[in-house]
Amino acid sequence: MTAHTLSAPAPTSRQSHRISADDAADMLMRHREGVLPALALFDVRDEKSYLNAHIAGATRLAEATFPLQIRGLSRSVPVLVYCYHGNASQTYAQWFADFRFPEVYSVDGGYPAFAAALALRDAERADAAMAGTDASAGLLAFLAEFGFDALDLDAPRQHGLTPLMRAALAGRADLIDELLRCGADVGRRNMDGNNALWLACVSSNADSVRKLVQAGIDIDNRNDMGATCLMYTASAGKAEMVALLLECGADPQIMNFDDARAVDLAATRTCLQLLRHTIG
């Protein structure tokens, strides 16, 4: 691909348009904090690499999609481009420059260097956010491991999971307890409409379930398919979880979008026996 094939105007500059990973990270952090109002971030690696891992907020850009994506982008918006190691991104940066984008940068070191620089800044922000609190080293390490924002304990990451949901999925009742003390919202739902209680049932951790119920979580929350935690545990044959949810006050009469109750979904005789009083 060349500037000629895109009918670009004659370039006025052949600068390298390079930026260090540290400076790129600072630029992106300013944008995330609202100091830099607009920023276009592009990942020019192959689709598999992009899907496996990419900088949050980055749009995948390929030679075939470049003409279309450039048409909808204001030339006043600064542009950051990264690739594997910082080589291919220089070519893309030059294409942007050829189209009269005045502020466009290729990130030296590519994705690994950029991601590492951002991780360092996130860690620094986490340390600052937790300074003066009684947050444990374990919680800080947990937040850092999954890329959570210590300044916003309700901000979701992969699959729409918040730190509380992730802790519930891991069966970490200790972290659930600490997150609740730090103000984590039990009312948050993930991209499927499930709250943290559903994830605690997935991990089959009774302590996690009890802590979340005591914190006031909606025990009868229906997800985007109309299913409750009781329905899930019954259909998964998790008899101990079914018994615990009933003990905690879960409503067995709620129906999903197919007019089925937990008893109708029971996968084992034990679950059916626990729910037999709801038949009729």
Side-chain angles (χ1 to χ4, degrees):
M1 174 177 171
T2 65
H4 176 70
T5 62
L6 292 176
S7 300
T12 58
S13 171
R14 286 294 179 185
Q15 300 177 42
S16 63
H17 302 284
R18 292 165 60 182
I19 189 173
S20 71
D22 284 335
D23 287 343
D26 288 337
M27 191 174 183
L28 182 54
M29 294 301 288
R30 291 199 305 274
H31 173 59
R32 290 177 177 176
E33 293 166 358
V35 178
L36 182 62
L39 178 68
L41 178 62
F42 292 104
D43 183 321
V44 298
R45 298 173 303 155
D46 68 273
E47 185 175 11
K48 182 178 180 180
S49 296
Y50 174 82
L51 292 175
N52 182 56
H54 61 268
I55 304 299
T59 299
R60 182 171 177 269
L61 180 63
E63 181 176 339
T65 62
F66 184 86
L68 180 62
Q69 288 176 274
I70 201 172
R71 290 193 192 103
L73 185 63
S74 171
R75 284 174 173 75
S76 64
V77 176
V79 176
L80 277 179
V81 188
Y82 69 87
C83 60
Y84 301 96
H85 304 294
N87 298 318
S89 56
Q90 293 184 51
T91 300
Y92 279 85
Q94 185 59 57
W95 292 344
F96 277 103
D98 291 347
F99 275 80
R100 300 290 197 270
F101 281 81
E103 193 173 358
V104 53
Y105 307 100
S106 164
V107 182
D108 282 346
Y111 173 76
F114 196 7
L118 284 170
L120 178 60
R121 279 149 185 79
D122 284 338
E124 291 171 347
R125 291 174 76 237
D127 289 343
M130 292 300 182
T133 73
D134 59 352
S136 69
L139 176 57
L140 292 175
F142 171 80
L143 295 172
E145 177 184 358
F146 292 99
F148 288 118
D149 185 352
L151 294 174
D152 185 355
L153 293 179
D154 296 320
R157 287 295 184 264
Q158 190 176 26
H159 306 306
L161 300 188
T162 65
L164 188 64
M165 295 174 193
R166 177 63 70 176
L169 181 60
R172 294 291 304 275
D174 57 327
L175 291 181
I176 288 174
D177 195 37
E178 188 168 2
L179 285 164
L180 290 172
R181 290 202 311 271
C182 291
D185 184 2
V186 295
R188 295 301 177 106
R189 308 194 328 158
N190 68 6
M191 61 197 312
D192 296 317
N194 295 312
N195 60 19
L197 185 61
W198 181 288
L199 283 306
C201 290
V202 172
S203 72
S204 297
N205 187 283
D207 286 343
S208 297
V209 170
R210 293 185 185 281
K211 288 182 181 297
L212 291 169
V213 171
Q214 290 168 3
I217 200 166
D218 184 359
I219 194 171
D220 293 319
N221 172 71
R222 294 204 300 170
N223 64 18
D224 294 345
M225 299 300 293
T228 65
C229 291
L230 187 61
M231 294 175 191
Y232 158 65
T233 53
S235 65
K238 293 175 175 281
E240 291 184 0
M241 290 291 101
V242 170
L244 178 57
L245 289 172
L246 288 172
E247 175 190 326
C248 291
D251 185 352
Q253 298 296 346
I254 295 176
M255 293 184 176
N256 64 14
F257 296 153
D258 294 320
D259 295 328
R261 297 169 298 173
V263 67
D264 302 315
L265 303 171
T268 66
R269 182 179 296 275
T270 303
C271 288
L272 185 60
Q273 290 174 338
L274 288 166
L275 294 161
R276 66 184 182 278
H277 67 283
T278 68
I279 299 175

